[in-house]
Each structure stands twice: as C-alpha cells, then as structure tokens.
Amino acid sequence: MTTARVAIIVLNWNGWQDTLACIASLQMLNSADFSILLVDNGSTDGSVEQFKRVLPAIKVLQTGANLGFGGGCNVGIRHALACGAEYVWLVNSDATVDRGALSALVQLADGNPAVGAVGSVLFDSDAPTRVQLWGGGRVNLWLGRSNHRLAPGHIDFVSGASLLLRRAALEQVGLFDSAQFFMYWEDTDLGFRLHQAGWQLAVAADSKIWHKQSASLGLGNPLLDEYATRSCVRFLRRHAPVPFVSVCLMLIRMVAKRVLVGRPDRLTAVIRGYRSA
C-alpha cells in the first residue's frame, strides 16, 4: 500500500521507448510525495520485459488486453485509489515533463478544494516552444466539434495527456466511461460530468509538458478517424441538447474534409465509426 499523496499513472501500449523517456523525466520531478505506476495495455512488443529489466523498482500492472485509453487508465486509477492516493496524475507515455510540472498542479489543487481536475500546458515535442494545448478545450455542442485552447480561458475538459484528478471528485462522478469510449472523448465526457457535479476545472500555467501527437497510431491513420467518429457520436448523444442535429453537422464536416484531402480510406473509416456508434 502506498502512502504517496499523488499516484502518477502512465499507460503504455507497444511504445516502451517513449514510455522509458517519460518515466525518466518523471523521476526528475522536484516533488517528493509521489509514486509511479505503469499500466501495460496488452502490449505485444516486449514492453513488460523491458520495464522489468530497466525499471525493476516501478510497479507494472498488466491489463492482459488492449482496453483502450480510458479502460487502461481505469485499471491504474482503481489501484491508486485502493492504495490511498489523494490525487491521481495521468501522463501520456509519449510525453516528457518539466521538473516542476507536478508541484504546480498540486499547488493549484490544494489552493482550491472546488477544483476536481487540473491540466498542464502542453508543448509540441518537435517544436518545444510552440503551445500544443493549454490544458484542455471547449466543446460546441451544437456543431459537434471540440476546439483546443492555445491560451488561457474557460475550458470544458482537461486533456488526458496530463490530467491531475482529485480523489473526492472521482469518488463522486466515477472514472472514465470505458464502455462507451475506447479512444478519444473519454476525457471530454469526464470533464462534462465533473462540471455537472459542481466541480471546477483548471490549468496550472507553470506545469509544462512536451507531448508528441498520436504517437501510438500515427497521424493520418484511418483508425484515428474511426475511433474519433464513434466516440464523438456517443458523446453528443449523451450531452448535446439536440443530438441528431449535432451529429449530422459533425458528420458533414468530417466527410467534407476527407473528400477535399482525397483520402477515401479515411472517409470510409468515418462512416464505419458512425455505423458502430
């Protein structure tokens, strides 16, 4: 059983090289009261063997299958809560963190008990001074689209790439809905549920993360379109005031973009995602 206030959870899927770099940066944090938990999401590239060889002191949980982002994270979150963690910090395996990233998150959360989730400022790993995401983003429920924040402002959700969650908030609203969201929109859905339960969302400006984009599948992979479409449709059916309108507008936009770029494979993936939603 851990006595650490913060359990840091890193979810790995067939990407042990990135994950080792992420862990190395976490081990340099200027905070003291944390533990690191690795969750392997059914990798087939020898990840677990690499972790046991290089990181023998770090606990590795094996899901036994690819449970998706939310499902894999939930395995780690449940373990962390059972061990008494006050906060859970999810960090993407394809990210590296600044030494003060965690202390900035916890300082903000400790200063305002009404905050249920805190995000970081994400920078592009390939362009370290370019902001990729300011903590999270907004959702237009009528148009069925999500917009990332690139500067301070109101957010509807905190990105799962760096997400500090308060134990009390999780105990009230529950974990990620892995039954509905295999990949994408699970952090958005959680943000909306936190808001609906009266919790605030915040971004710690001094918490800095450097993050790759879609390292697991690669940008432009049709699977991204399929997962994103399915999850978006399910999210809108749950949260949009008139889901039929929102879903139609979302589909029109996604189909048009893929026709314009000449990617029939991605267009087909969007259709598959909608049909399976």
Side-chain angles (χ1 to χ4, degrees), residues 6-7 214:
V6 182
S214 300

Side-chain angles (χ1 to χ4, degrees), residues 120-124 130-135 159 161-162 207 209 211:
S120 305
V121 181
L122 274 60
F123 296 88
D124 195 324
R130 183 172 65 206
V131 174
Q132 185 186 93
L133 177 69
W134 193 278
S159 169
S162 175
S207 179
I209 309 290
H211 181 235

Side-chain angles (χ1 to χ4, degrees), residues 19-29 91 95-99:
T19 300
L20 288 179
C22 176
I23 298 296
S25 72
L26 291 170
Q27 291 174 325
M28 298 298 291
L29 287 167
V91 181
T96 55
V97 309
D98 179 72
R99 291 188 71 248

Side-chain angles (χ1 to χ4, degrees), residues 7-272:
I8 304 175
I9 297 172
V10 179
L11 180 68
N12 174 80
W13 181 71
N14 290 336
W16 60 267
Q17 296 95 334
D18 281 341
T19 300
L20 288 179
C22 176
I23 298 296
S25 72
L26 291 170
Q27 291 174 325
M28 298 298 291
L29 287 167
N30 62 12
S31 302
D33 201 1
F34 69 88
S35 61
I36 300 174
L37 176 63
L38 259 172
V39 180
D40 186 77
N41 217 8
S43 294
T44 56
D45 67 342
S47 286
V48 173
E49 290 73 18
Q50 290 290 341
F51 299 148
K52 289 181 178 179
R53 180 179 64 85
V54 181
L55 304 168
I58 291 182
K59 185 172 183 63
V60 179
L61 295 180
Q62 299 181 59
T63 64
N66 186 354
L67 305 181
F69 179 78
C73 287
N74 283 349
V75 170
I77 294 171
R78 290 190 186 99
H79 179 87
L81 295 181
C83 291
E86 183 178 344
Y87 294 107
V88 172
W89 184 26
L90 306 179
V91 181
N92 267 19
S93 61
D94 57 352
T96 55
V97 309
D98 179 72
R99 291 188 71 248
L102 176 57
S103 57
L105 293 169
V106 173
Q107 183 178 11
L108 192 156
D110 281 346
N112 186 353
V115 169
V118 189
S120 305
V121 181
L122 274 60
F123 296 88
D124 195 324
S125 291
D126 296 326
T129 61
R130 183 172 65 206
V131 174
Q132 185 186 93
L133 177 69
W134 193 278
R138 300 296 309 275
V139 178
N140 187 317
L141 289 174
W142 286 100
L143 297 179
R145 67 183 302 172
S146 170
N147 294 303
H148 284 177
R149 277 284 185 197
L150 298 178
H154 178 78
I155 56 172
D156 295 320
F157 66 92
V158 176
S159 169
S162 175
L163 173 58
L164 183 81
L165 292 163
R166 188 186 299 274
R167 178 191 190 92
L170 289 170
E171 290 176 339
Q172 181 179 0
V173 307
L175 311 188
F176 290 120
D177 186 349
S178 58
Q180 289 296 309
F181 306 100
F182 180 81
M183 191 174 184
Y184 300 121
W185 291 86
E186 64 284 293
D187 49 5
T188 315
D189 173 71
L190 180 59
F192 270 66
R193 288 190 281 127
L194 286 167
H195 269 306
Q196 290 162 1
W199 292 97
Q200 297 176 18
L201 309 181
V203 180
D206 291 329
S207 179
K208 300 175 182 178
I209 309 290
W210 287 269
H211 181 235
K212 295 182 179 180
Q213 284 192 323
S214 300
S216 58
L217 291 176
L219 288 172
N221 189 321
L223 268 178
L224 298 181
D225 294 285
E226 183 174 347
Y227 289 142
T229 302
R230 181 187 302 121
S231 293
C232 185
V233 170
R234 291 177 175 178
F235 173 86
L236 293 172
R237 286 174 177 167
R238 174 175 289 178
H239 296 287
V242 186
F244 174 77
V245 172
S246 305
V247 170
C248 285
L249 292 175
M250 180 272 291
L251 285 174
I252 290 170
R253 185 178 64 256
M254 294 188 73
V255 166
K257 284 184 176 180
R258 282 138 190 86
V259 169
L260 288 173
V261 298
R263 288 291 302 270
D265 56 335
R266 294 184 63 185
L267 174 60
T268 303
V270 168
I271 296 171
R272 279 200 309 270

